[in-house]
Amino acid sequence: MKRMLSGIKPTGQLTLGNYIGALRNFVKYQDEYEMYVFIANLHCITEYQEPLELSKNLTDAVALYLACGLDPDISTIFLQTDVLAHAELGYIMACNTYLGELNRMTQFKDKTLKNEKNLTAGLYTYPCLMAADILLYNANYVPVGEDQKQHVELTRDVATRFNNKYGETFVVPEPLIAKVGARIMSLSDPNKKMSKSEETNKGCIYLLDDLNVARKKIMGAVTDSVGIIQLDKQNQPGLYNLIEIASSLTERKMEDIINEFVGQGYGKLKAYVADVVCSELEKIQNKYHEIIESHMLEKIMQDGAAKANEIANKTLNDVKQKIGLEIKY
Ligand code: AMP
Ligand code: TRP
């Protein structure tokens, strides 16, 4: 069975973008692949997080992983800091990554260009830690949204270079990006990614949003003045985004949804998208509350950490030996 690994960094509440672009796919793939899914808490602190809030977000993220359908009996679910090998291989990967490579990473460049203050060294070397996350498990595939493709490509480059230098060590992973839903856009600005870090909350639907709030956000989504229901991503990005959201959640083709609403007003289409999203959120939220009340998280995370440690430590020991980091007695 081929192995798959992915992670989410809960720097806030998980969003509909995380669900459609990532989480939902983990669930789909878990029967077909040996699945490793982790909570990237070390990645969270590359930017300051209020400690109590961070801890709450981590707990919610695990509960949401399960509520969305990840099954701990077949998938390995764990917390990044429960496996010390991530930080250690992360450092080793940083010593095998060139400054030029990190300087090319668009996520970091965007933040630099926005003149954000107090950018940390951790943020800069983030892709090295991400490479370690993936390579420790010899994952064949990494299901992610579009924004993470460049980081997986860097991981491939670093893994290949390491293999050439020190001998075959790592599986070179491939990013797996869905055709529909890999980049869900903000409802208030369809030219920007739907993101947890948005200033106003209007454009982003959170998985734990009150259903009425979520409905209002969709009904208030920015569209255009063209007034025709059709697929034109260039000129009607807001409408396209709404149709893409509905298409990925229902697995209906985008064209079929267009055909159903063609000739009608945007309000009708928005109401349909709101129904689809709210019914999905309702299912997730019901399960989330059951899970929180059942107090099962601790045991699941302990079991996950034990399984993850076993594989990760094996890879780390192999790497240390290959590099010559060990004393031979
Ligand atoms: P992050 O929240 O940045 O840790 O992202 C976790 C996963 O969700 C990654 O695979 C991202 O690519 C994916 N993701 C985040 N935001 C979106 C979005 N707006 N549309 C699609 N995928 C997304
Ligand atoms: N960088 C990813 C994000 O922000 C999260 C992440 C960390 C990840 N390590 C990973 C995703 C390893 C896939 C594989 O979305």
Side-chain angles (χ1 to χ4, degrees):
M1 210 184 232
K2 296 251 181 183
R3 198 172 283 167
M4 201 175 259
L5 172 132
S6 197
I8 292 182
K9 127 180 108 53
T11 43
Q13 287 282 323
L14 297 195
T15 70
L16 187 66
N18 290 139
Y19 180 62
I20 294 178
L23 246 179
R24 216 168 146 268
N25 301 321
F26 307 166
V27 176
K28 266 198 237 162
Y29 290 127
Q30 68 182 341
D31 295 321
E32 250 177 284
Y33 295 89
E34 194 187 328
M35 187 63 133
Y36 288 79
V37 184
F38 71 102
I39 308 271
N41 58 347
L42 283 176
H43 287 262
C44 289
I45 58 163
T46 50
E47 292 173 280
Y48 175 75
Q49 306 292 314
E50 202 288 305
L52 285 178
E53 216 170 285
L54 174 60
S55 171
K56 161 95 172 82
N57 287 334
L58 299 179
T59 314
D60 277 351
V62 186
L64 280 169
Y65 274 15
L66 301 171
C68 290
L70 268 182
D71 177 352
D73 289 333
I74 50 177
S75 295
T76 304
I77 305 168
F78 63 99
L79 185 68
Q80 191 176 28
T81 45
D82 281 344
V83 183
L84 299 182
H86 286 253
E88 196 168 343
L89 187 66
Y91 174 76
I92 295 173
M93 289 298 103
C95 296
N96 283 275
T97 307
Y98 298 126
L99 296 185
E101 290 174 314
L102 293 178
N103 291 339
R104 277 198 295 277
M105 294 293 109
T106 49
Q107 217 167 40
F108 184 78
K109 272 202 297 198
D110 286 352
K111 298 212 188 224
T112 321
L113 286 178
K114 273 196 232 149
N115 265 331
E116 282 188 26
K117 295 262 160 11
N118 304 327
L119 292 184
T120 68
L123 187 71
Y124 184 60
T125 56
Y126 173 128
C128 309
L129 180 60
M130 179 156 165
D133 298 337
I134 299 169
L135 300 176
L136 275 176
Y137 299 89
N138 283 314
N140 304 95
Y141 298 106
V142 184
V144 280
E146 184 67 43
D147 61 339
Q148 295 302 317
K149 188 169 172 214
Q150 197 186 29
H151 292 151
V152 182
E153 276 162 1
L154 176 67
T155 303
R156 289 173 59 83
D157 292 344
V158 176
T160 307
R161 187 158 61 232
F162 191 100
N163 287 346
N164 289 337
K165 223 188 223 167
Y166 296 106
E168 218 38 52
T169 310
F170 297 125
V171 170
V172 179
E174 276 177 48
L176 207 69
I177 295 166
K179 287 202 181 71
V180 177
R183 193 172 169 81
I184 299 299
M185 309 309 278
S186 160
L187 299 174
S188 53
D189 179 356
N191 295 311
K192 277 191 353 209
K193 187 184 86 159
M194 180 183 281
S195 147
K196 303 174 242 198
S197 50
E198 210 175 284
E199 292 99 49
T200 72
N201 269 331
K202 278 196 200 150
C204 179
I205 293 193
Y206 297 94
L207 294 181
L208 294 176
D209 262 350
D210 179 271
L211 297 185
N212 288 322
V213 171
R215 181 172 294 276
K216 268 204 195 118
K217 287 180 184 171
I218 294 175
M219 295 309 290
V222 169
T223 45
D224 55 77
S225 53
V226 178
I228 301 169
I229 292 191
Q230 58 190 356
L231 286 181
D232 183 347
K233 194 171 183 176
Q234 194 78 24
N235 299 308
Q236 298 172 277
L239 194 67
Y240 188 96
N241 187 43
L242 289 172
I243 298 166
E244 186 162 5
I245 290 172
S247 162
S248 34
L249 293 179
T250 55
E251 304 209 349
R252 289 178 73 186
K253 285 203 182 102
M254 290 176 79
E255 289 77 14
D256 289 348
I257 298 175
I258 291 289
N259 289 338
E260 183 182 333
F261 288 95
V262 73
Q264 303 187 46
Y266 288 0
K268 281 244 172 74
L269 176 74
K270 283 182 172 177
Y272 167 70
V273 178
D275 285 345
V276 167
V277 170
C278 287
S279 111
E280 194 82 7
L281 291 190
E282 193 175 16
K283 275 190 265 172
I284 295 173
Q285 291 177 8
N286 287 341
K287 283 208 202 122
Y288 164 85
H289 291 298
E290 270 174 38
I291 289 160
I292 291 284
E293 276 152 33
S294 73
H295 302 289
M296 60 208 257
L297 296 187
E298 191 175 3
K299 170 88 173 65
I300 291 174
M301 296 311 277
Q302 276 170 357
D303 292 352
K307 279 199 266 175
N309 266 303
E310 205 173 299
I311 298 185
N313 289 335
K314 228 175 172 178
T315 310
L316 180 63
N317 286 336
D318 180 32
V319 167
K320 283 157 88 174
Q321 234 170 41
K322 291 229 168 84
I323 300 181
L325 281 175
E326 287 179 337
I327 296 181
K328 290 209 173 77
Y329 295 104

